[in-house]
Amino acid sequence: MSNLDRKPAPAVCGRQAATGPVKDLLTGRHVPLGESTVVRRLLPNLGRRMVGAWCFVDHYGPDDIADEPGMQVPPHPHMGLQTVSWLHEGSVLHRDSLGSLQTVRPRELGLMTSGRAISHSEESPRAHAPLLHGAQLWVALPDAHRHTEPAFEHHPELPVVTAGGLRADLILGTLDGATSPGTTHTALTGADLTLREGAAHRLPLDPGFEYAVLAMTGSVDVDGVLVEPGSLLYLGCGRRELPLRARTDAALLLLGGEPFEERLVMWWNFVGRSHEEIAQARVDWESGTRFGQVHGYDGERLHAPQLPPVPLKPRGRER
């Protein structure tokens, strides 16, 4: 999925993890995505840039698209990251410059590794379900892997962990002894947690990771904090378990990982290490080189916004 903001501000990311457990509740910024979809952008956020290697989180829906085109994201480029498509309702048709053509359905993993350069489009199929609800997430690639060859993976079946009214579909990484088949390049976890009303559970965590939870549906007390749809609770580091109590039937995304120590510059759909690198990627996309072509999408590709006039450089550690 693309960042369709026409005036995107560069963001310096990385080296921002809390040193211990915290409970910071963040709200999203509403951003239009195509003709009939509005997303709640939760990362990067004014108060939080990353959670482990997770550097971008959009939550959308549930949207009634029965008489609408639904998601329509034209071909656009990516570099230096992985995109994770995750649905609760509806479906998304993925095309990319590798020739991939795949429909991603609820609780199936669509994972695209941009590496040095890729382009793709995402759209609701012409014959689509009446509702669209999901999340789009990006994972920053570490320096050792950010120039790798691009790739796309589709995993229709994922490991599931169950306990006491809780179901956890493992999207990426590891959780409670289970491991996702999705390729990762840093130590992290991503899981879809489904809880029945009244369920109470203490979810085991890795104390070396920082974590956050995104509410998808329902109401859940997360370590005593009420988390409702469209909000993200940042939890910091140092936790061995996470108390959960569902007030209603509910679903959460658990995101976590080792604190990302590298400094990044993120702008539009690019993750790099310098303003100059981002500027060159913009030139390459606009000139039609490096990112390839997406065939089969009925429409024009996206053009890149203008870069801000003042270069943004990575800084030192933030606390």
Side-chain angles (χ1 to χ4, degrees):
M1 185 178 291
S2 174
N3 176 3
L4 296 187
D5 191 340
R6 299 312 298 167
K7 295 183 179 179
V12 172
C13 304
R15 296 186 180 178
Q16 198 193 13
T19 55
V22 299
K23 291 183 278 190
D24 294 337
L25 190 61
L26 307 175
T27 56
R29 177 171 62 94
H30 288 79
V31 178
L33 187 72
E35 299 178 31
S36 56
T37 303
V38 174
V39 302
R40 290 167 287 277
R41 183 147 300 156
L42 293 148
L43 286 181
N45 191 296
L46 183 62
R48 175 62 39 192
R49 298 296 188 187
M50 298 181 71
V51 178
W54 301 96
C55 62
F56 183 95
V57 176
D58 276 353
H59 173 229
Y60 52 90
D63 293 326
D64 183 350
I65 60 169
D67 299 315
E68 303 287 345
M71 182 182 294
Q72 298 294 323
V73 183
H76 59 278
H78 285 293
M79 75 170 191
L81 56 90
Q82 293 177 292
T83 66
V84 177
S85 298
W86 188 254
L87 291 166
H88 276 193
E89 295 183 272
S91 58
V92 172
L93 178 62
H94 166 98
R95 305 174 192 265
D96 64 40
S97 53
L98 301 176
S100 308
L101 178 64
Q102 179 64 55
T103 300
V104 180
R105 297 179 174 83
R107 291 180 170 81
E108 297 179 352
L109 173 60
L111 176 65
M112 186 179 76
T113 301
S114 70
R116 56 180 179 78
I118 200 171
S119 56
H120 75 139
S121 64
E122 290 180 295
E123 59 188 303
S124 297
R126 290 182 180 178
H128 55 255
L131 293 179
L132 180 65
H133 184 206
Q136 182 74 22
L137 312 106
W138 296 357
V139 179
L141 291 172
D143 190 62
H145 297 281
R146 67 191 185 98
H147 298 297
T148 190
E149 291 298 309
F152 177 75
E153 302 172 36
H154 176 237
H155 298 285
E157 296 185 5
L158 296 167
V160 174
V161 176
T162 58
L166 171 84
R167 172 190 170 107
D169 292 77
L170 189 55
I171 303 169
L172 276 183
T174 60
L175 178 70
D176 198 22
T179 300
S180 166
T183 300
T184 58
H185 298 279
T186 56
L188 52 72
T189 191
D192 186 299
L193 310 180
T194 305
L195 296 102
R196 294 196 300 268
E197 181 178 357
H201 191 71
R202 304 184 78 86
L203 188 70
L205 300 181
D206 185 331
F209 282 15
E210 59 176 336
Y211 289 95
V213 292
L214 164 65
M216 298 287 286
T217 57
S219 298
V220 182
D221 288 322
V222 180
D223 195 13
V225 177
L226 175 61
V227 184
E228 295 184 298
S231 59
L232 183 140
L233 180 66
Y234 176 68
L235 296 161
C237 297
R239 294 176 178 268
R240 295 187 179 278
E241 61 180 17
L242 183 63
L244 302 170
R245 184 176 66 82
R247 298 191 181 192
T248 66
D249 289 349
L252 303 170
L253 291 188
L254 174 72
L255 306 175
E258 289 183 347
F260 200 84
E261 291 298 321
E262 298 175 28
R263 271 300 191 192
L264 310 176
V265 175
M266 189 165 74
W267 178 83
W268 195 43
N269 295 299
F270 305 134
V271 173
R273 298 303 187 274
S274 69
H275 178 90
E276 293 75 18
E277 185 180 352
I278 297 291
Q280 185 59 56
R282 183 189 182 281
V283 169
D284 291 346
W285 171 246
E286 290 298 292
S287 65
T289 60
R290 180 178 164 194
F291 290 94
Q293 293 185 346
V294 177
H295 297 287
Y297 181 83
D298 185 15
E300 298 295 322
R301 69 178 192 159
L302 284 180
H303 287 283
Q306 291 297 319
L307 272 168
V310 179
L312 183 60
K313 302 292 185 182
R315 304 189 299 272
R317 178 183 292 273
E318 294 181 7
R319 293 291 187 184

